[in-house]
Amino acid sequence: MMCYSILGPFFPKEAEKKGASNTIIGMIFGCYALFDFLSSLIFGNYLVHIGAKFMFVAGMFVSGGVTILFGVLDQVPDGPVFIAMCFLLRIADAISFSAAITASFSILAKTFPNNVATVLGSLETFSGLGLVLGPPLGGFLYQSFGYEVPFIILGCIVLLMVPLNMYILPNYESDPNEHSFWKLISLPKVAVIAFTIISASSCLGFLDPTLSLFVLKKFNLPPGYVGLVYLGMASSYMISSPLLGLLSDKVPYLRKWFLVLGSLITAVCYMLLGPVPVLHIKSQLWLLVLILVINGMSAGMSIIPTFPEILSCAHENGFAKGLSTLGLVSGFLGAMWSVGAFIGPVIGGFMYEKLGFEWAAAVEGLLALASGLSMALFYLWEHSRKRSRSKLQNTLGTEEERTALLSDES
């Protein structure tokens, strides 16, 4: 995750020096989500054929090598050659990252079948830590040693993890799944949860191109302090994720409440980020940081329960309990997350330019509101259907008992 987040502080500046426009730089960042989406679907579908361990190790190896190659891009000729190499390496990084993440989710779910949410919640702690540490560490290394060093150091660390994981990770074998992504997405519950994942990812991605500009303009903070504003949200997400995962495993009934309340709380947070002008609340730095802290926890509520909920739904609808289904679910989650990661920054940047941050954040909050209400309506419909089915079964059971009694009496 540090390799993923290290580009932010200094790569755009270096790319401008090499002749890339702001639009091209945005496309270099944006193509990552697009190819992450496509490769997640492919790797999830063919996980059993490729092998989970091989996919994870190969993904890490390529990702480490690509990260090192990013460090020598400043030696590439300016203009089209540099831009083409940026796209090529960024696409390779997205594909390798997708392979590693899809395989890692599957391996963890296979190894800890009764504690899936707890393990994934713990994993999110380290994902969040990598996202938080990447920009400041990358900026420090860049400032101290130049462009190449941050990429070379992180790339070498990832490559050193390859033999370690080859030794530690178990080999799992499984039969190919007869079901597909289309069968999975056709399940109503999975479709609604997919909307929740896209919404959560989009809301987080919306902040990437907008929040720093808003903070700099509104509160006149030095650039070095802007990163600390993000720290509140990342810290609360890291701290709350393991607890939310543990609760999701120990009390499965809470998952539906987490998914509904997480989206609704996120919607309120985005209305208050600006805040939206119709509320007539003065924008203050302490309020912004507090809202981001709450938003970090609500994001965890929306994200952590999704894997076990989709997995249980798949098993209830005839999907085999094995690595093939875990691969499908892992790839599906990665693909849906990528859709939101692409939509959020693109639409967010456009709305920020046209409407300003206050209204743009409010509009983004409507997406979270829609996903929360959709999730709530689905669970109400599911509950009423189960009650109707239970009443029907009780009625049929009573009629059978009466018939048996009458035949005994006769």
PDB file of all heavy atoms in Angstrom, residues 135-167:
ATOM      1  N   PRO A 135       2.795   8.672   1.628  1.00  0.00           N
ATOM      2  CA  PRO A 135       3.092  10.051   1.208  1.00  0.00           C
ATOM      3  C   PRO A 135       4.166  10.756   2.036  1.00  0.00           C
ATOM      4  O   PRO A 135       5.100  11.312   1.458  1.00  0.00           O
ATOM      5  CB  PRO A 135       1.726  10.744   1.335  1.00  0.00           C
ATOM      6  CG  PRO A 135       0.733   9.640   1.152  1.00  0.00           C
ATOM      7  CD  PRO A 135       1.350   8.452   1.799  1.00  0.00           C
ATOM      8  N   PRO A 136       4.092  10.744   3.406  1.00  0.00           N
ATOM      9  CA  PRO A 136       5.139  11.461   4.142  1.00  0.00           C
ATOM     10  C   PRO A 136       6.522  10.828   4.001  1.00  0.00           C
ATOM     11  O   PRO A 136       7.518  11.534   3.874  1.00  0.00           O
ATOM     12  CB  PRO A 136       4.652  11.424   5.596  1.00  0.00           C
ATOM     13  CG  PRO A 136       3.663  10.327   5.664  1.00  0.00           C
ATOM     14  CD  PRO A 136       3.044  10.246   4.315  1.00  0.00           C
ATOM     15  N   LEU A 137       6.588   9.482   4.007  1.00  0.00           N
ATOM     16  CA  LEU A 137       7.886   8.818   3.868  1.00  0.00           C
ATOM     17  C   LEU A 137       8.458   9.051   2.475  1.00  0.00           C
ATOM     18  O   LEU A 137       9.648   9.348   2.319  1.00  0.00           O
ATOM     19  CB  LEU A 137       7.737   7.318   4.128  1.00  0.00           C
ATOM     20  CG  LEU A 137       9.028   6.501   4.015  1.00  0.00           C
ATOM     21  CD1 LEU A 137      10.035   6.942   5.066  1.00  0.00           C
ATOM     22  CD2 LEU A 137       8.753   5.006   4.145  1.00  0.00           C
ATOM     23  N   GLY A 138       7.585   8.936   1.454  1.00  0.00           N
ATOM     24  CA  GLY A 138       8.032   9.196   0.090  1.00  0.00           C
ATOM     25  C   GLY A 138       8.501  10.627  -0.081  1.00  0.00           C
ATOM     26  O   GLY A 138       9.533  10.884  -0.716  1.00  0.00           O
ATOM     27  N   GLY A 139       7.756  11.580   0.493  1.00  0.00           N
ATOM     28  CA  GLY A 139       8.143  12.984   0.404  1.00  0.00           C
ATOM     29  C   GLY A 139       9.465  13.255   1.091  1.00  0.00           C
ATOM     30  O   GLY A 139      10.306  14.006   0.577  1.00  0.00           O
ATOM     31  N   PHE A 140       9.684  12.609   2.254  1.00  0.00           N
ATOM     32  CA  PHE A 140      10.940  12.797   2.989  1.00  0.00           C
ATOM     33  C   PHE A 140      12.126  12.239   2.206  1.00  0.00           C
ATOM     34  O   PHE A 140      13.171  12.893   2.075  1.00  0.00           O
ATOM     35  CB  PHE A 140      10.848  12.107   4.353  1.00  0.00           C
ATOM     36  CG  PHE A 140      12.157  12.021   5.084  1.00  0.00           C
ATOM     37  CD1 PHE A 140      12.696  13.143   5.709  1.00  0.00           C
ATOM     38  CD2 PHE A 140      12.862  10.827   5.132  1.00  0.00           C
ATOM     39  CE1 PHE A 140      13.913  13.060   6.370  1.00  0.00           C
ATOM     40  CE2 PHE A 140      14.078  10.733   5.792  1.00  0.00           C
ATOM     41  CZ  PHE A 140      14.603  11.864   6.413  1.00  0.00           C
ATOM     42  N   LEU A 141      11.978  11.019   1.668  1.00  0.00           N
ATOM     43  CA  LEU A 141      13.070  10.406   0.903  1.00  0.00           C
ATOM     44  C   LEU A 141      13.354  11.190  -0.375  1.00  0.00           C
ATOM     45  O   LEU A 141      14.511  11.355  -0.768  1.00  0.00           O
ATOM     46  CB  LEU A 141      12.713   8.953   0.566  1.00  0.00           C
ATOM     47  CG  LEU A 141      12.662   7.973   1.753  1.00  0.00           C
ATOM     48  CD1 LEU A 141      12.137   6.619   1.306  1.00  0.00           C
ATOM     49  CD2 LEU A 141      14.043   7.820   2.394  1.00  0.00           C
ATOM     50  N   TYR A 142      12.292  11.678  -1.007  1.00  0.00           N
ATOM     51  CA  TYR A 142      12.452  12.475  -2.231  1.00  0.00           C
ATOM     52  C   TYR A 142      13.206  13.770  -1.937  1.00  0.00           C
ATOM     53  O   TYR A 142      14.117  14.161  -2.668  1.00  0.00           O
ATOM     54  CB  TYR A 142      11.067  12.764  -2.822  1.00  0.00           C
ATOM     55  CG  TYR A 142      11.072  13.763  -3.952  1.00  0.00           C
ATOM     56  CD1 TYR A 142      11.469  13.395  -5.235  1.00  0.00           C
ATOM     57  CD2 TYR A 142      10.667  15.083  -3.742  1.00  0.00           C
ATOM     58  CE1 TYR A 142      11.470  14.303  -6.279  1.00  0.00           C
ATOM     59  CE2 TYR A 142      10.662  16.006  -4.779  1.00  0.00           C
ATOM     60  CZ  TYR A 142      11.066  15.612  -6.044  1.00  0.00           C
ATOM     61  OH  TYR A 142      11.065  16.522  -7.070  1.00  0.00           O
ATOM     62  N   GLN A 143      12.827  14.423  -0.844  1.00  0.00           N
ATOM     63  CA  GLN A 143      13.455  15.691  -0.465  1.00  0.00           C
ATOM     64  C   GLN A 143      14.918  15.491  -0.078  1.00  0.00           C
ATOM     65  O   GLN A 143      15.771  16.337  -0.358  1.00  0.00           O
ATOM     66  CB  GLN A 143      12.676  16.313   0.698  1.00  0.00           C
ATOM     67  CG  GLN A 143      12.784  17.819   0.767  1.00  0.00           C
ATOM     68  CD  GLN A 143      11.752  18.401   1.717  1.00  0.00           C
ATOM     69  OE1 GLN A 143      11.093  17.689   2.475  1.00  0.00           O
ATOM     70  NE2 GLN A 143      11.596  19.702   1.699  1.00  0.00           N
ATOM     71  N   SER A 144      15.201  14.347   0.550  1.00  0.00           N
ATOM     72  CA  SER A 144      16.546  14.112   1.074  1.00  0.00           C
ATOM     73  C   SER A 144      17.495  13.503   0.040  1.00  0.00           C
ATOM     74  O   SER A 144      18.682  13.834   0.006  1.00  0.00           O
ATOM     75  CB  SER A 144      16.478  13.182   2.289  1.00  0.00           C
ATOM     76  OG  SER A 144      15.637  13.722   3.291  1.00  0.00           O
ATOM     77  N   PHE A 145      16.985  12.586  -0.795  1.00  0.00           N
ATOM     78  CA  PHE A 145      17.884  11.814  -1.662  1.00  0.00           C
ATOM     79  C   PHE A 145      17.549  11.900  -3.148  1.00  0.00           C
ATOM     80  O   PHE A 145      18.273  11.335  -3.972  1.00  0.00           O
ATOM     81  CB  PHE A 145      17.873  10.334  -1.241  1.00  0.00           C
ATOM     82  CG  PHE A 145      18.216  10.121   0.202  1.00  0.00           C
ATOM     83  CD1 PHE A 145      17.227   9.827   1.134  1.00  0.00           C
ATOM     84  CD2 PHE A 145      19.531  10.230   0.634  1.00  0.00           C
ATOM     85  CE1 PHE A 145      17.544   9.621   2.466  1.00  0.00           C
ATOM     86  CE2 PHE A 145      19.850  10.032   1.965  1.00  0.00           C
ATOM     87  CZ  PHE A 145      18.860   9.734   2.892  1.00  0.00           C
ATOM     88  N   GLY A 146      16.445  12.539  -3.512  1.00  0.00           N
ATOM     89  CA  GLY A 146      16.109  12.646  -4.925  1.00  0.00           C
ATOM     90  C   GLY A 146      14.999  11.710  -5.349  1.00  0.00           C
ATOM     91  O   GLY A 146      14.446  10.942  -4.554  1.00  0.00           O
ATOM     92  N   TYR A 147      14.708  11.733  -6.647  1.00  0.00           N
ATOM     93  CA  TYR A 147      13.540  11.029  -7.183  1.00  0.00           C
ATOM     94  C   TYR A 147      13.672   9.510  -7.100  1.00  0.00           C
ATOM     95  O   TYR A 147      12.697   8.797  -6.804  1.00  0.00           O
ATOM     96  CB  TYR A 147      13.331  11.456  -8.648  1.00  0.00           C
ATOM     97  CG  TYR A 147      12.231  10.714  -9.352  1.00  0.00           C
ATOM     98  CD1 TYR A 147      10.900  11.070  -9.204  1.00  0.00           C
ATOM     99  CD2 TYR A 147      12.529   9.625 -10.189  1.00  0.00           C
ATOM    100  CE1 TYR A 147       9.884  10.377  -9.855  1.00  0.00           C
ATOM    101  CE2 TYR A 147      11.525   8.933 -10.845  1.00  0.00           C
ATOM    102  CZ  TYR A 147      10.211   9.310 -10.672  1.00  0.00           C
ATOM    103  OH  TYR A 147       9.218   8.610 -11.310  1.00  0.00           O
ATOM    104  N   GLU A 148      14.835   8.952  -7.368  1.00  0.00           N
ATOM    105  CA  GLU A 148      14.979   7.507  -7.508  1.00  0.00           C
ATOM    106  C   GLU A 148      14.829   6.741  -6.205  1.00  0.00           C
ATOM    107  O   GLU A 148      14.230   5.665  -6.162  1.00  0.00           O
ATOM    108  CB  GLU A 148      16.355   7.171  -8.122  1.00  0.00           C
ATOM    109  CG  GLU A 148      16.575   7.692  -9.524  1.00  0.00           C
ATOM    110  CD  GLU A 148      17.210   9.082  -9.536  1.00  0.00           C
ATOM    111  OE1 GLU A 148      17.268   9.697  -8.448  1.00  0.00           O
ATOM    112  OE2 GLU A 148      17.610   9.537 -10.620  1.00  0.00           O
ATOM    113  N   VAL A 149      15.383   7.288  -5.123  1.00  0.00           N
ATOM    114  CA  VAL A 149      15.538   6.532  -3.870  1.00  0.00           C
ATOM    115  C   VAL A 149      14.218   6.007  -3.283  1.00  0.00           C
ATOM    116  O   VAL A 149      14.156   4.840  -2.871  1.00  0.00           O
ATOM    117  CB  VAL A 149      16.315   7.382  -2.835  1.00  0.00           C
ATOM    118  CG1 VAL A 149      16.334   6.693  -1.466  1.00  0.00           C
ATOM    119  CG2 VAL A 149      17.737   7.611  -3.319  1.00  0.00           C
ATOM    120  N   PRO A 150      13.134   6.795  -3.191  1.00  0.00           N
ATOM    121  CA  PRO A 150      11.897   6.256  -2.595  1.00  0.00           C
ATOM    122  C   PRO A 150      11.408   4.995  -3.302  1.00  0.00           C
ATOM    123  O   PRO A 150      11.016   4.018  -2.644  1.00  0.00           O
ATOM    124  CB  PRO A 150      10.898   7.403  -2.759  1.00  0.00           C
ATOM    125  CG  PRO A 150      11.714   8.629  -2.928  1.00  0.00           C
ATOM    126  CD  PRO A 150      12.967   8.199  -3.606  1.00  0.00           C
ATOM    127  N   PHE A 151      11.433   4.996  -4.631  1.00  0.00           N
ATOM    128  CA  PHE A 151      10.931   3.857  -5.392  1.00  0.00           C
ATOM    129  C   PHE A 151      11.847   2.643  -5.251  1.00  0.00           C
ATOM    130  O   PHE A 151      11.377   1.508  -5.108  1.00  0.00           O
ATOM    131  CB  PHE A 151      10.809   4.228  -6.874  1.00  0.00           C
ATOM    132  CG  PHE A 151       9.750   5.270  -7.149  1.00  0.00           C
ATOM    133  CD1 PHE A 151      10.112   6.584  -7.422  1.00  0.00           C
ATOM    134  CD2 PHE A 151       8.407   4.954  -7.113  1.00  0.00           C
ATOM    135  CE1 PHE A 151       9.149   7.544  -7.685  1.00  0.00           C
ATOM    136  CE2 PHE A 151       7.438   5.904  -7.367  1.00  0.00           C
ATOM    137  CZ  PHE A 151       7.811   7.202  -7.649  1.00  0.00           C
ATOM    138  N   ILE A 152      13.156   2.881  -5.280  1.00  0.00           N
ATOM    139  CA  ILE A 152      14.107   1.773  -5.198  1.00  0.00           C
ATOM    140  C   ILE A 152      14.032   1.098  -3.833  1.00  0.00           C
ATOM    141  O   ILE A 152      14.014  -0.143  -3.732  1.00  0.00           O
ATOM    142  CB  ILE A 152      15.538   2.257  -5.498  1.00  0.00           C
ATOM    143  CG1 ILE A 152      15.633   2.685  -6.970  1.00  0.00           C
ATOM    144  CG2 ILE A 152      16.562   1.170  -5.192  1.00  0.00           C
ATOM    145  CD1 ILE A 152      16.943   3.356  -7.346  1.00  0.00           C
ATOM    146  N   ILE A 153      13.958   1.889  -2.767  1.00  0.00           N
ATOM    147  CA  ILE A 153      13.891   1.314  -1.414  1.00  0.00           C
ATOM    148  C   ILE A 153      12.627   0.489  -1.237  1.00  0.00           C
ATOM    149  O   ILE A 153      12.663  -0.674  -0.787  1.00  0.00           O
ATOM    150  CB  ILE A 153      13.976   2.431  -0.348  1.00  0.00           C
ATOM    151  CG1 ILE A 153      15.384   3.016  -0.299  1.00  0.00           C
ATOM    152  CG2 ILE A 153      13.583   1.891   1.033  1.00  0.00           C
ATOM    153  CD1 ILE A 153      15.548   4.148   0.689  1.00  0.00           C
ATOM    154  N   LEU A 154      11.461   1.062  -1.585  1.00  0.00           N
ATOM    155  CA  LEU A 154      10.201   0.337  -1.404  1.00  0.00           C
ATOM    156  C   LEU A 154      10.120  -0.879  -2.314  1.00  0.00           C
ATOM    157  O   LEU A 154       9.636  -1.945  -1.910  1.00  0.00           O
ATOM    158  CB  LEU A 154       9.013   1.263  -1.667  1.00  0.00           C
ATOM    159  CG  LEU A 154       8.609   2.188  -0.512  1.00  0.00           C
ATOM    160  CD1 LEU A 154       7.407   3.023  -0.904  1.00  0.00           C
ATOM    161  CD2 LEU A 154       8.276   1.383   0.732  1.00  0.00           C
ATOM    162  N   GLY A 155      10.586  -0.738  -3.554  1.00  0.00           N
ATOM    163  CA  GLY A 155      10.576  -1.874  -4.467  1.00  0.00           C
ATOM    164  C   GLY A 155      11.420  -3.026  -3.956  1.00  0.00           C
ATOM    165  O   GLY A 155      11.019  -4.200  -4.037  1.00  0.00           O
ATOM    166  N   CYS A 156      12.580  -2.718  -3.410  1.00  0.00           N
ATOM    167  CA  CYS A 156      13.457  -3.768  -2.862  1.00  0.00           C
ATOM    168  C   CYS A 156      12.829  -4.439  -1.641  1.00  0.00           C
ATOM    169  O   CYS A 156      12.959  -5.659  -1.461  1.00  0.00           O
ATOM    170  CB  CYS A 156      14.819  -3.177  -2.490  1.00  0.00           C
ATOM    171  SG  CYS A 156      15.837  -2.731  -3.918  1.00  0.00           S
ATOM    172  N   ILE A 157      12.129  -3.671  -0.810  1.00  0.00           N
ATOM    173  CA  ILE A 157      11.452  -4.254   0.354  1.00  0.00           C
ATOM    174  C   ILE A 157      10.393  -5.258  -0.094  1.00  0.00           C
ATOM    175  O   ILE A 157      10.269  -6.355   0.460  1.00  0.00           O
ATOM    176  CB  ILE A 157      10.817  -3.152   1.234  1.00  0.00           C
ATOM    177  CG1 ILE A 157      11.918  -2.327   1.913  1.00  0.00           C
ATOM    178  CG2 ILE A 157       9.892  -3.756   2.283  1.00  0.00           C
ATOM    179  CD1 ILE A 157      11.406  -1.111   2.662  1.00  0.00           C
ATOM    180  N   VAL A 158       9.608  -4.880  -1.128  1.00  0.00           N
ATOM    181  CA  VAL A 158       8.585  -5.790  -1.654  1.00  0.00           C
ATOM    182  C   VAL A 158       9.234  -7.057  -2.223  1.00  0.00           C
ATOM    183  O   VAL A 158       8.755  -8.175  -1.988  1.00  0.00           O
ATOM    184  CB  VAL A 158       7.734  -5.087  -2.736  1.00  0.00           C
ATOM    185  CG1 VAL A 158       6.787  -6.081  -3.407  1.00  0.00           C
ATOM    186  CG2 VAL A 158       6.940  -3.944  -2.130  1.00  0.00           C
ATOM    187  N   LEU A 159      10.335  -6.906  -2.958  1.00  0.00           N
ATOM    188  CA  LEU A 159      11.011  -8.069  -3.524  1.00  0.00           C
ATOM    189  C   LEU A 159      11.570  -8.986  -2.434  1.00  0.00           C
ATOM    190  O   LEU A 159      11.595 -10.212  -2.596  1.00  0.00           O
ATOM    191  CB  LEU A 159      12.143  -7.621  -4.458  1.00  0.00           C
ATOM    192  CG  LEU A 159      11.701  -6.973  -5.775  1.00  0.00           C
ATOM    193  CD1 LEU A 159      12.920  -6.538  -6.583  1.00  0.00           C
ATOM    194  CD2 LEU A 159      10.835  -7.919  -6.598  1.00  0.00           C
ATOM    195  N   LEU A 160      12.013  -8.411  -1.314  1.00  0.00           N
ATOM    196  CA  LEU A 160      12.515  -9.236  -0.209  1.00  0.00           C
ATOM    197  C   LEU A 160      11.398 -10.060   0.434  1.00  0.00           C
ATOM    198  O   LEU A 160      11.653 -11.111   1.038  1.00  0.00           O
ATOM    199  CB  LEU A 160      13.174  -8.342   0.851  1.00  0.00           C
ATOM    200  CG  LEU A 160      14.533  -7.749   0.489  1.00  0.00           C
ATOM    201  CD1 LEU A 160      14.987  -6.761   1.552  1.00  0.00           C
ATOM    202  CD2 LEU A 160      15.575  -8.866   0.329  1.00  0.00           C
ATOM    203  N   MET A 161      10.157  -9.573   0.318  1.00  0.00           N
ATOM    204  CA  MET A 161       9.021 -10.311   0.870  1.00  0.00           C
ATOM    205  C   MET A 161       8.660 -11.538   0.029  1.00  0.00           C
ATOM    206  O   MET A 161       7.961 -12.434   0.506  1.00  0.00           O
ATOM    207  CB  MET A 161       7.791  -9.391   0.954  1.00  0.00           C
ATOM    208  CG  MET A 161       7.885  -8.231   1.933  1.00  0.00           C
ATOM    209  SD  MET A 161       8.009  -8.770   3.656  1.00  0.00           S
ATOM    210  CE  MET A 161       9.764  -8.513   3.933  1.00  0.00           C
ATOM    211  N   VAL A 162       9.119 -11.585  -1.221  1.00  0.00           N
ATOM    212  CA  VAL A 162       8.745 -12.682  -2.120  1.00  0.00           C
ATOM    213  C   VAL A 162       9.242 -14.034  -1.611  1.00  0.00           C
ATOM    214  O   VAL A 162       8.446 -14.972  -1.440  1.00  0.00           O
ATOM    215  CB  VAL A 162       9.242 -12.402  -3.554  1.00  0.00           C
ATOM    216  CG1 VAL A 162       9.072 -13.641  -4.432  1.00  0.00           C
ATOM    217  CG2 VAL A 162       8.473 -11.230  -4.151  1.00  0.00           C
ATOM    218  N   PRO A 163      10.549 -14.232  -1.342  1.00  0.00           N
ATOM    219  CA  PRO A 163      10.989 -15.542  -0.831  1.00  0.00           C
ATOM    220  C   PRO A 163      10.379 -15.876   0.525  1.00  0.00           C
ATOM    221  O   PRO A 163      10.116 -17.055   0.819  1.00  0.00           O
ATOM    222  CB  PRO A 163      12.516 -15.399  -0.730  1.00  0.00           C
ATOM    223  CG  PRO A 163      12.785 -13.932  -0.760  1.00  0.00           C
ATOM    224  CD  PRO A 163      11.693 -13.331  -1.561  1.00  0.00           C
ATOM    225  N   LEU A 164      10.134 -14.862   1.357  1.00  0.00           N
ATOM    226  CA  LEU A 164       9.516 -15.108   2.663  1.00  0.00           C
ATOM    227  C   LEU A 164       8.119 -15.703   2.486  1.00  0.00           C
ATOM    228  O   LEU A 164       7.750 -16.682   3.157  1.00  0.00           O
ATOM    229  CB  LEU A 164       9.444 -13.792   3.451  1.00  0.00           C
ATOM    230  CG  LEU A 164       8.814 -13.865   4.843  1.00  0.00           C
ATOM    231  CD1 LEU A 164       9.659 -14.725   5.773  1.00  0.00           C
ATOM    232  CD2 LEU A 164       8.662 -12.461   5.428  1.00  0.00           C
ATOM    233  N   ASN A 165       7.333 -15.123   1.582  1.00  0.00           N
ATOM    234  CA  ASN A 165       5.980 -15.627   1.343  1.00  0.00           C
ATOM    235  C   ASN A 165       5.983 -16.970   0.618  1.00  0.00           C
ATOM    236  O   ASN A 165       5.080 -17.783   0.817  1.00  0.00           O
ATOM    237  CB  ASN A 165       5.173 -14.600   0.541  1.00  0.00           C
ATOM    238  CG  ASN A 165       4.650 -13.474   1.406  1.00  0.00           C
ATOM    239  OD1 ASN A 165       3.656 -13.622   2.106  1.00  0.00           O
ATOM    240  ND2 ASN A 165       5.336 -12.349   1.386  1.00  0.00           N
ATOM    241  N   MET A 166       6.991 -17.198  -0.223  1.00  0.00           N
ATOM    242  CA  MET A 166       7.104 -18.510  -0.867  1.00  0.00           C
ATOM    243  C   MET A 166       7.305 -19.605   0.180  1.00  0.00           C
ATOM    244  O   MET A 166       6.817 -20.731   0.029  1.00  0.00           O
ATOM    245  CB  MET A 166       8.273 -18.505  -1.855  1.00  0.00           C
ATOM    246  CG  MET A 166       8.021 -17.673  -3.104  1.00  0.00           C
ATOM    247  SD  MET A 166       9.467 -17.588  -4.208  1.00  0.00           S
ATOM    248  CE  MET A 166       9.567 -19.279  -4.748  1.00  0.00           C
ATOM    249  N   TYR A 167       8.002 -19.282   1.256  1.00  0.00           N
ATOM    250  CA  TYR A 167       8.274 -20.257   2.315  1.00  0.00           C
ATOM    251  C   TYR A 167       7.086 -20.411   3.260  1.00  0.00           C
ATOM    252  O   TYR A 167       6.748 -21.525   3.690  1.00  0.00           O
ATOM    253  CB  TYR A 167       9.522 -19.823   3.092  1.00  0.00           C
ATOM    254  CG  TYR A 167       9.835 -20.703   4.276  1.00  0.00           C
ATOM    255  CD1 TYR A 167      10.389 -21.979   4.096  1.00  0.00           C
ATOM    256  CD2 TYR A 167       9.586 -20.266   5.581  1.00  0.00           C
ATOM    257  CE1 TYR A 167      10.668 -22.788   5.181  1.00  0.00           C
ATOM    258  CE2 TYR A 167       9.866 -21.076   6.677  1.00  0.00           C
ATOM    259  CZ  TYR A 167      10.403 -22.333   6.470  1.00  0.00           C
ATOM    260  OH  TYR A 167      10.681 -23.138   7.544  1.00  0.00           O
TER     261      TYR A 167
END
